[in-house]
Amino acid sequence: MSFLRQYRRYAAPDLTRYLPFIVEGHHVGWVKPEVAATLAKDPAAFVVTADRVTMHPDLVTPEARSAAMARTLARLRAEGRVPGWRDELYPVNQAFGETPLLVMERAAAPLFGVLAYGVNLNGFVGRGWEMKVWVARRAPTKSVDPNMLDLIVGGGQPLGLSPAENLLKECHEEAGIPTEIAARAEPVGLITLLIEAGEGLRVGQQFNFDLELPVSFRPLNQDGEVAGFELIPVSELMHRLRSADEFMYDIALVLIDFLIRHGFIGPEEPDYLPLIAGLRRPIPFQRVPA
Amino acid sequence: MSFLRQYRRYAAPDLTRYLPFIVEGHHVGWVKPEVAATLAKDPAAFVVTADRVTMHPDLVTPEARSAAMARTLARLRAEGRVPGWRDELYPVNQAFGETPLLVMERAAAPLFGVLAYGVNLNGFVGRGWEMKVWVARRAPTKSVDPNMLDLIVGGGQPLGLSPAENLLKECHEEAGIPTEIAARAEPVGLITLLIEAGEGLRVGQQFNFDLELPVSFRPLNQDGEVAGFELIPVSELMHRLRSADEFMYDIALVLIDFLIRHGFIGPEEPDYLPLIAGLRRPIPFQRVPA
């Protein structure tokens, strides 16, 4: 089986079936028509027309927009439309590092199809075909993808931390990696996501790091979100990515990127080019007509 | 200065100013109108209309198309339109590994805007900020980019060899790297090119490899195409990529990809995202209307 099976687990979204979500003249997301219909019930917050959903132009500051969004999301949450509420605020913008146009609850990002940022760590021991990769089994209580396989460390990218700072924090919380070891992690690029999930559109940009761990290191979860850890030989990891869907969708992509960067998947792989192209699909924010 | 200076050395091509080049119903390149006008003088080989250049549909085999192309290119060469003739045949197709629709002289690839494949080697010693990267100064006699800085090893991807086999051959010819060392090179992904150069459109896909060389190794060019080699500390390499245009355009991109994969350019770099996106721009072959 081809590694491409991991890319095919979700349909490529048909963006023509969504309405662009516009804030201050910037296209920052995509909303399903049925979500747009309920947003239309908050006319002070959203202007819903046949071809777009716009945050009300009277909301001229990020604070005013964030407050209006929070009121609407409280209602949608009460209606059961925002599963897995996290009490984590994410910035909404077109590109990482830009001043947020507003902030909103992380769990509602797919409802609005806004770009969500994250960090991931590929933690491994050994080199070449002797390499083994640490993976985590997600706790059965996780709201997203319970029991699936995950990286040893990863998480959403909150406001106020750099990706490297966030990674250090997650290394501690998720796997008990001491700061002096975690600080050796190296940034190695990013992947993008654009998939239609049950709840809406998942649009993502995730910063990836590699860390060669000491052979003696054993991860120890601190936050109760992990059921256990496993150290998988790289050849077995490749077999499992080719033959089954045990890993979270985005994590499978991060691992394929890792396998490509480390030479385990090379030009002799028939799908080398589509595998590489599929890791960083452009996020097609449109120019907004006046 | 930003590393993005390297991406801005050539204008992004305006593809609407080219005619699509169509072979057997496949869009495989782009031709300037003035080139199309001279191709129209070979009506047995090319059908030139207002919106496209098509290889004549009576040429039903790759052999027939390759022979017709060779006749036309011999004329264009005599007219001085194909600088740097190399006597190397390149396959023409939409994706690497597909059966070639025809083969044609490498030096004419930009005239037809067809996809040209290549291999590159990042040869380095040391790790972390102690790392140094081997680079080559191109011989003043090279037809393309004489005297500019290049990788220690790189070259076009000919028919009949895999990228890994081609790399071994180039490692010997260009830098005298013994096969037992060169065989340790690891594939690490690819970059794409899409730029308007003087002679036409350069469309490329290059397979990249990394090789940690022994500290004692000294490159020795075998084919006379290199004026000399230099071992550059990674911090100096970064300074030179930010501040000057000493490297060939595509090589600057390969080095930026290397610096990103090895953590020297990270998310704290303001242009991290456009730098990564610019390394693998999609090649926008169009669907051909019937």
Side-chain angles (χ1 to χ4, degrees), chain A residues 137-151:
Chain A
R137 175 79 61 184
R138 291 165 71 82
T141 51
K142 292 281 276 189
S143 63
V144 176
D145 292 339
N147 299 309
M148 291 198 85
L149 288 178
D150 200 345
L151 296 175

Side-chain angles (χ1 to χ4, degrees), chain A residues 13-111:
Chain A
D14 176 359
L15 294 174
T16 65
R17 296 176 51 226
Y18 290 77
L19 302 179
F21 176 45
I22 312 292
V23 180
E24 276 246 302
H26 300 276
H27 176 203
V28 294
W30 289 268
V31 179
K32 282 188 176 168
E34 53 268 34
V35 176
T38 187
L39 297 178
K41 295 179 194 167
D42 288 335
F46 298 98
V47 180
V48 177
T49 59
D51 68 346
R52 67 179 72 179
V53 174
T54 307
M55 278 216 94
H56 199 291
D58 286 352
L59 302 165
V60 294
T61 65
E63 292 73 19
R65 290 188 287 266
S66 301
M69 176 65 88
R71 282 190 295 272
T72 296
L73 291 184
R75 170 172 69 81
L76 296 183
R77 183 188 188 187
E79 294 170 3
R81 291 175 184 266
V82 192
W85 190 275
R86 295 157 178 265
D87 274 328
E88 277 185 51
L89 290 175
Y90 264 26
V92 175
N93 51 25
Q94 268 192 345
F96 190 74
E98 285 182 2
T99 305
L101 295 161
L102 71 153
V103 298
M104 64 184 285
E105 159 63 24
R106 172 178 177 180
L111 276 185

Side-chain angles (χ1 to χ4, degrees), chain B residues 16 30 32 46 76 85 109 111 118 140 150 157 170 176 180 201 208 213 219 245 265-266 288:
Chain B
T16 65
W30 288 268
K32 283 187 176 169
F46 298 98
L76 297 182
W85 190 276
L111 275 186
D150 200 345
Q157 173 62 37
E170 296 282 352
E180 62 271 23
L201 197 68
N208 301 324
L213 286 160
D245 297 341
I265 302 174
V288 181

Side-chain angles (χ1 to χ4, degrees), chain A residues 95-96 117 127-128 163-164 186-190 205 207-210 259-268 270 272-273 276 280 282, chain B residues 95-96 117 127-128 163-164 186-190 205 207-210 259-268 270 272-273 276 280 282:
Chain A
F96 190 74
Y117 306 100
R127 293 272 174 175
E186 289 184 345
V188 290
L190 56 84
Q205 195 161 269
F207 298 96
N208 301 324
F209 294 76
D210 282 1
L259 293 166
I260 288 168
R261 285 186 293 100
H262 286 268
F264 296 109
I265 301 174
E268 70 289 352
Y272 194 55
L273 307 181
I276 291 173
R280 283 166 286 265
Chain B
F96 189 74
Y117 306 100
R127 293 272 174 174
E186 289 184 345
V188 291
L190 56 84
Q205 195 160 270
F207 298 96
N208 301 324
F209 294 76
D210 282 2
L259 293 167
I260 288 169
R261 286 185 293 99
H262 286 269
F264 296 109
I265 302 174
E268 70 289 352
Y272 194 55
L273 307 181
I276 291 174
R280 282 166 286 265

Side-chain angles (χ1 to χ4, degrees), chain B residues 139 141-142 173 221-227:
Chain B
T141 50
K142 292 282 277 188
E173 291 175 5
N221 178 246
Q222 315 285 317
D223 62 6
E225 300 195 349
V226 173

Side-chain angles (χ1 to χ4, degrees), chain B residues 4 8 12 54-55 71 86 94 114 162 197-198 206 224 227 233 250 252:
Chain B
L4 284 177
R8 294 174 180 143
T54 307
M55 278 218 93
R71 282 190 295 272
R86 296 158 177 262
Q94 268 193 346
V114 297
S162 72
Q206 303 191 1
D250 53 340

